[in-house]
């Protein structure tokens, strides 16, 4: 299921960043994104870097304002290192987890500012909460495409953690013919051992003995093991 998680890029300037961001999103199973007043006009460089994610460039939604881009969203988190009273500052991992959790209520969005100056004060105020990558102080800024990849990865990991694990493949079941061979071999062995003497009572006893094996739904492998074990016992009895 594709979750309604939207990546919103404000005034993206660099076409290469757009191409790399498209590839990163597709790597992580995401496809919903919006560009607000993009300044990159020639998308040829973007297509060179998108690598099998060109459809994301063609299908991107474009808006003129952040308000229009997130109007239907139930939660909006902005990427900014600023501290604003009343707004939580979340680590990228917490953002990924909360985006996945809140997506069950409706569309959610994460907003990235432009490469030069980031989000404006008004855009920060529009967001419910804020998040920043805990980079080293010696190099605090991070490339837009790298930021998209980092948050997309956290969304991916949170989605995988929230999804139930796929069921284990079922083993190949024993066929009715294989079960019949096991039952016949067991009957032969029990008769040679003197357990089944009375034909009528013996048949009833054999049925009762074999019933648990039939109910257990033996696999093909288990049926072969039973046959091998019974044949081995039969050979020992005959040799003795």
């Amino acid at each position: 299921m594709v979750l309604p998680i939207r990546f919103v890029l404000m005034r993206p300037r660099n076409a290469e960043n757009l191409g790399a961001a498209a590839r990163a999103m597709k790597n992580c199973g995401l496809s919903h994104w919006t560009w607000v007043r993009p300044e990159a006009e020639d998308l040829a460089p973007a297509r060179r870097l998108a690598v099998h994610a060109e459809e994301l460039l063609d299908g991107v939604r474009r808006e003129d304002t952040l308000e229009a881009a997130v109007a239907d969203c139930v939660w909006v988190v902005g990427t900014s290192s600023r501290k604003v009273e009343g707004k939580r500052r979340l680590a990228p991992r917490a953002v990924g987890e909360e985006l996945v959790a809140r997506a069950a209520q409706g569309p959610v969005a994460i907003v990235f500012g432009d490469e030069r100056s980031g989000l404006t004060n008004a855009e920060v105020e529009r967001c419910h909460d804020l998040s920043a990558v805990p980079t080293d102080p010696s190099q605090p800024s991070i490339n837009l495409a790298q930021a998209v990849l980092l948050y997309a990865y956290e969304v991916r990991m949170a989605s995988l953690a929230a999804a139930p694990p796929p069921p284990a493949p079922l083993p190949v079941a024993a066929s009715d013919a294989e079960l019949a061979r096991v039952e016949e071999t067991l009957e032969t062995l029990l008769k040679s051992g003197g357990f089944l003497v009375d034909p009528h009572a013996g048949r009833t006893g054999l049925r009762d003995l074999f019933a648990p094996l039939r109910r257990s739904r033996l696999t093909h492998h288990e049926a072969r093991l039973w046959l091998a074990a019974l044949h081995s016992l039969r050979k020992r009895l005959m040799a003795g």
Side-chain angles (χ1 to χ4, degrees):
M1 184 179 82
V2 179
L3 295 172
I5 298 175
R6 185 178 307 153
F7 279 45
V8 178
L9 277 56
M10 302 298 299
R11 302 170 300 279
R13 301 168 179 268
N14 187 292
E16 285 86 351
N17 274 338
L18 295 177
R23 182 176 184 177
M25 289 182 61
K26 189 168 183 179
N27 285 151
C28 297
L30 299 168
S31 59
H32 299 306
W33 64 335
T34 299
W35 301 346
V36 177
R37 299 196 308 277
E39 297 184 15
E41 297 181 359
D42 180 11
L43 293 185
R47 293 186 181 281
R48 286 196 294 271
L49 270 70
V51 187
H52 306 305
E54 295 85 355
E55 74 274 12
L56 267 69
L57 297 174
D58 296 329
V60 67
R61 173 182 163 192
R62 296 172 183 254
E63 295 289 355
D64 292 326
T65 64
L66 176 59
E67 290 80 1
V70 300
D72 60 337
C73 292
V74 298
W75 188 59
V76 180
V77 59
T79 54
S80 174
S81 59
R82 274 171 275 184
K83 296 180 181 179
V84 179
E85 186 175 356
K87 295 186 187 295
R88 293 181 301 161
R89 285 178 52 78
L90 303 171
R93 182 154 303 170
V95 169
E97 292 170 352
E98 194 156 343
L99 283 169
V100 170
R102 289 181 179 267
Q105 300 173 310
V108 291
I110 178 167
V111 184
F112 300 85
D114 67 74
E115 296 93 326
R116 187 174 302 170
S117 55
L119 298 176
T120 66
N121 289 335
E123 290 161 355
V124 167
E125 287 297 327
R126 190 82 187 187
C127 298
H128 296 101
D129 294 299
L130 299 175
S131 177
V133 178
T135 52
D136 191 88
S138 64
Q139 176 62 300
S141 64
I142 189 169
N143 174 270
L144 173 61
Q146 291 174 324
V148 168
L149 173 59
L150 192 150
Y151 283 95
Y153 171 80
E154 294 296 354
V155 169
R156 175 70 172 172
M157 296 305 293
S159 299
L160 293 175
L170 292 174
V172 178
S175 67
D176 184 72
E178 288 173 323
L179 292 177
R181 284 197 294 273
V182 173
E183 186 174 11
E184 290 166 5
T185 306
L186 179 61
E187 181 180 15
T188 301
L189 183 62
L190 292 175
K191 283 181 177 178
S192 63
F195 183 77
L196 300 179
V197 179
D198 184 337
H200 177 71
R203 189 62 196 169
T204 303
L206 175 66
R207 183 189 62 199
D208 292 343
L209 279 172
F210 194 72
L213 288 179
R214 189 173 292 279
R215 287 198 302 268
S216 70
R217 298 182 178 86
L218 292 178
T219 67
H220 170 74
H221 176 67
E222 290 167 342
R224 290 176 63 87
L225 281 177
W226 269 100
L227 280 172
L230 293 173
H231 281 306
S232 178
L233 286 173
R234 183 183 177 191
K235 286 179 181 179
R236 278 186 171 274
L237 285 173
M238 293 174 65

